[in-house]
């Protein structure tokens, strides 16, 4: 029987009524003839609430104990869903991450999966059961240790659990159920004209997810790309098809071989064979969770950047955009962005190093946001970046920092102007530009609790 992996986010299992609805959906898939493996997140805001509780006791709780605590959220969900499915008369079993064979390293709170061992899951499937696995959690048994410590995979980690299981079980598809109907060309709350993207490549989805679209954990997209797991992002509240994330060639078409089991249904009439993509930009994303740090008048000599960013790396602080301005003098300004939650720590680390280097001062600024355009079509179409800058200039929006990759251009702008930036860019690239593309990609900062 073909295996189908379904993952339900926290919002999809938030209460009894929703759990019943999910149970019915799971049972329907089973009765359609699939071996069904279901991954669930903690209900609603459970994870946030647990974090809050811990922080009331200590500002910086031990990571091992945090994992022990947070894993309970998913454990409640699997049992509740299994009870709901059992009530519908279908054989079912719930498994923790450990029982499901999700083995990880011991980097508590952001553990990496080192091995997936599906024997138990396969046995349960062979016995005719629906298998429910707790997302987000794993267990340490590798690396010479057999401590059986519970670990978690980082926020939004249930997506990664689902994709890892789909890869290991050679599932036909990994369905990610959330509270939005798919991946959109921009955040529909900001841009009413935003459209659902029927199909998007792993590369574009990865950029989107990393640039602020929270429908999928970037790590899960990466894993899916490596193992060619087709992902279907869809809503647990409707039956309409969502967004397919899969391998696409440069023309935006599906290559001949795809799918981790080599069997993938083509998305209903979305791709016309040989049709070239007319759409250069597939989506506009934005991210408000950014902050800017400027090291003013740092000596312009070799090794300075290495010192500053080395110190940040040591503290495991991720740096995103970086610019260095050239001045006439012997000094330069170094500007970079970090995640807003990391700003305080980044400031602290950099101030220390800046002092040693003899820089004049370190400025912190939270009133910034990042807006990006993403699209594989950019590779073949020069002038896209220029058009982006022109559009922002017309709106009187100042660009503070620019960064690019082959398939995206990001600009750091004043936070208060980011909505206007997203709207104008969506209008320029997705409403006015060549319409009715063979396919459109792109996504959004679709904020959802249900990751
Ligand atoms: N419950 C975890 C979180 O909220 C994992 C997940 O939802 O995927 O981050
Ligand atoms: Mg969650």
């Amino acid at each position: 029987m073909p295996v189908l992996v379904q993952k339900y986010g926290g919002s999809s299992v938030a209460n009894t009524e929703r759990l019943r609805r999910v149970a019915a959906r799971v049972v329907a898939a089973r009765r359609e003839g699939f071996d069904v493996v279901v991954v669930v997140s903690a209900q609603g805001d459970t994870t946030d609430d647990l974090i809050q509780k811990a922080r009331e006791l200590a500002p910086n709780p031990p990571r091992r104990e945090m994992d022990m605590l947070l894993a309970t959220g998913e454990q409640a969900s699997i049992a509740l869903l299994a009870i709901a499915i059992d009530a519908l008369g279908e054989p079912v079993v719930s498994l923790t991450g450990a029982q499901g064979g999700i083995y990880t390293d011991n980097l508590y709170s952001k553990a990496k999966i080192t091995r997936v061992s599906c024997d138990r899951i396969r046995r349960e499937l062979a016995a005719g059961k629906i298998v429910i696995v707790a997302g987000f959690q794993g267990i340490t048994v590798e690396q010479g240790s057999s401590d059986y410590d519970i670990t978690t995979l980082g926020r939004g980690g249930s997506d990664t659990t689902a994709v890892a299981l789909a890869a290991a079980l050679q599932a036909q598809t990994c369905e990610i159920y959330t509270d939005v109907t798919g991946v959109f060309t921009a955040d529909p709350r900001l841009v009413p004209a935003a459209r659902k993207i029927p199909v998007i490549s792993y590369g574009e989805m990865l950029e989107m997810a990393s640039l602020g679209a929270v429908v999928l954990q970037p790590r899960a997209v990466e894993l899916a790309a490596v193992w060619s797991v087709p992902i279907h992002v869809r809503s647990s509240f409707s039956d309409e098809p969502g967004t397919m994330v899969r391998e696409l060639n440069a023309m935006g078409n599906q290559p001949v071989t795809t799918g981790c089991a080599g069997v993938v249904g083509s998305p209903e009439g979305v791709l016309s064979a040989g049709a070239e993509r007319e759409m250069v930009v597939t989506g506009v994303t934005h991210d408000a969770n950014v902050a800017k740090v400027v090291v003013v008048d740092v000596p312009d000599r070799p090794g300075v950047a290495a010192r500053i960013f080395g110190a940040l790396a040591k503290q495991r602080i991720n740096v995103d955009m970086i610019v260095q301005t050239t001045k006439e003098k012997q000094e330069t300004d170094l500007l970079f962005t970090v995640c807003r939650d990391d700003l305080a720590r980044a400031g602290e680390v950099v101030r220390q190093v800046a002092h040693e280097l003899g820089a004049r001062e370190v400025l912190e600024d939270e009133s910034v946001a990042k807006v990006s355009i993403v699209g594989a079509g950019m590779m073949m179409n020069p002038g896209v970046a220029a058009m982006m800058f022109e559009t922002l200039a017309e709106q009187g929006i100042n660009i503070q920092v620019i960064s690019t990759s082959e398939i995206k251009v990001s600009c750091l702008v004043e936070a208060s102007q980011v909505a206007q930036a997203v709207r104008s860019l969506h209008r320029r690239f997705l409403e006015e530009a060549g319409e009715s593309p063979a396919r459109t990609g792109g996504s959004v900062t679709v904020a959802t609790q249900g990751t």
Side-chain angles (χ1 to χ4, degrees), residues 75-144:
Q75 199 167 326
S77 294
I78 55 169
L80 289 170
L81 183 58
I83 290 166
I85 290 171
D86 177 77
L88 295 176
E90 205 63 44
V92 60
V93 63
S94 70
L95 301 176
T96 62
Q99 292 172 318
I102 307 289
Y103 300 128
T104 73
D105 59 22
N106 60 0
L107 274 178
Y108 302 105
S109 89
K110 48 181 135 201
K112 296 264 175 313
I113 298 175
T114 51
R115 190 159 64 93
V116 179
S117 170
C118 288
D119 311 349
R120 174 77 189 270
I121 294 179
R122 283 190 208 279
R123 244 189 296 133
E124 301 291 359
L125 289 174
K129 287 180 204 163
I130 292 168
V131 180
I132 319 285
V133 183
F136 179 53
Q137 55 173 263
I139 194 129
T140 63
V141 288
E142 313 272 63
Q143 316 194 316

Side-chain angles (χ1 to χ4, degrees), residues 120-426:
R120 174 77 189 270
I121 294 179
R122 283 190 208 279
R123 244 189 296 133
E124 301 291 359
L125 289 174
K129 287 180 204 163
I130 292 168
V131 180
I132 319 285
V133 183
F136 179 53
Q137 55 173 263
I139 194 129
T140 63
V141 288
E142 313 272 63
Q143 316 194 316
S145 87
S146 47
D147 290 340
Y148 301 104
D149 269 356
I150 291 174
T151 53
T152 68
L153 309 177
R155 296 306 305 268
S158 300
D159 289 349
T160 300
T161 305
V163 171
L165 286 176
L169 293 162
Q170 299 202 307
Q172 175 173 313
T173 310
C174 181
E175 294 184 329
I176 304 276
Y177 285 91
T178 178
D179 52 6
V180 290
T181 55
V183 181
F184 282 70
T185 52
D187 187 339
R189 291 168 310 178
L190 284 188
V191 184
R195 300 186 300 266
K196 182 166 69 195
I197 298 154
V199 53
I200 184 171
S201 67
Y202 293 119
E204 289 168 308
M205 189 65 235
L206 186 57
E207 287 285 7
M208 290 287 183
S210 314
L211 292 168
V214 300
V215 255
L216 276 179
Q217 201 198 28
R219 210 172 126 190
V221 182
E222 230 166 2
L223 195 62
V226 170
W227 294 97
S228 296
V229 177
I231 298 180
H232 186 182
V233 180
R234 54 189 309 191
S235 165
S236 54
F237 304 105
S238 91
D239 284 327
E240 64 180 286
T243 299
M244 287 300 307
V245 187
R246 60 157 58 133
E247 236 155 79
L248 295 171
N249 63 24
M251 300 302 201
N253 292 317
Q254 187 189 331
V256 189
T257 53
T258 181
C260 48
V263 226
V264 185
S266 113
E268 313 68 33
V270 168
L271 304 177
S272 40
E276 213 168 318
R277 291 183 59 180
E278 293 159 41
M279 212 47 114
V280 174
V281 169
T282 50
V284 181
T285 64
H286 67 278
D287 187 358
N289 187 17
V290 279
K292 180 176 83 176
V293 177
V294 191
V295 188
V296 182
D297 281 351
V298 67
D300 193 4
R301 60 164 192 260
V304 164
R307 278 281 299 283
I308 292 176
F309 296 110
L312 289 163
K314 217 164 154 194
Q315 295 301 315
R316 305 187 75 91
I317 297 170
N318 267 328
V319 173
D320 181 21
M321 307 167 109
I322 302 175
V323 262
Q324 184 177 340
T325 58
T326 354
K327 293 185 172 175
E328 285 155 27
K329 324 168 271 174
Q330 299 303 301
E331 285 95 35
T332 161
D333 288 348
L334 245 183
L335 186 161
F336 61 89
T337 64
V338 292
C339 184
R340 214 169 268 187
D341 319 322
D342 285 336
L343 179 62
R345 273 194 315 137
E348 216 173 281
V349 171
V350 170
R351 241 176 226 109
Q352 170 78 27
V353 182
H355 180 74
E356 291 161 19
L357 291 170
R360 186 147 66 90
E361 58 179 332
V362 177
L363 307 173
E364 294 172 13
D365 184 0
E366 279 193 304
S367 65
V368 291
K370 188 167 72 168
V371 58
S372 311
I373 54 174
V374 176
M378 272 182 215
M379 275 189 277
M380 295 181 289
N381 290 276
V384 177
M387 200 189 277
M388 178 182 196
F389 306 150
E390 202 180 279
T391 306
L392 294 176
E394 281 163 15
Q395 300 287 319
I397 297 171
N398 186 41
I399 302 169
Q400 304 186 18
V401 185
I402 298 165
S403 73
T404 63
S405 80
E406 274 185 328
I407 63 166
K408 72 118 201 263
V409 184
S410 298
C411 295
L412 193 72
V413 300
E414 170 70 36
S416 62
Q417 291 181 311
V418 73
Q420 189 189 349
V422 172
R423 278 188 211 109
S424 58
L425 291 169
H426 193 270

Side-chain angles (χ1 to χ4, degrees), residues 41-42 47 74 136 155-158 451:
S41 297
T47 308
E74 271 70 14
F136 179 53
R155 296 306 305 268
S158 300
T451 51

Side-chain angles (χ1 to χ4, degrees), residues 8-20 22 40-46 77 80 179 236-237 449-450:
Y8 293 91
S11 61
S12 301
V13 295
N15 54 43
T16 303
E17 184 219 320
R18 290 182 182 188
L19 275 165
R20 279 211 187 99
V22 167
V40 277
S41 297
Q43 291 185 286
D45 296 329
T46 304
S77 294
L80 289 170
D179 52 6
S236 54
F237 304 105
Q449 306 286 10

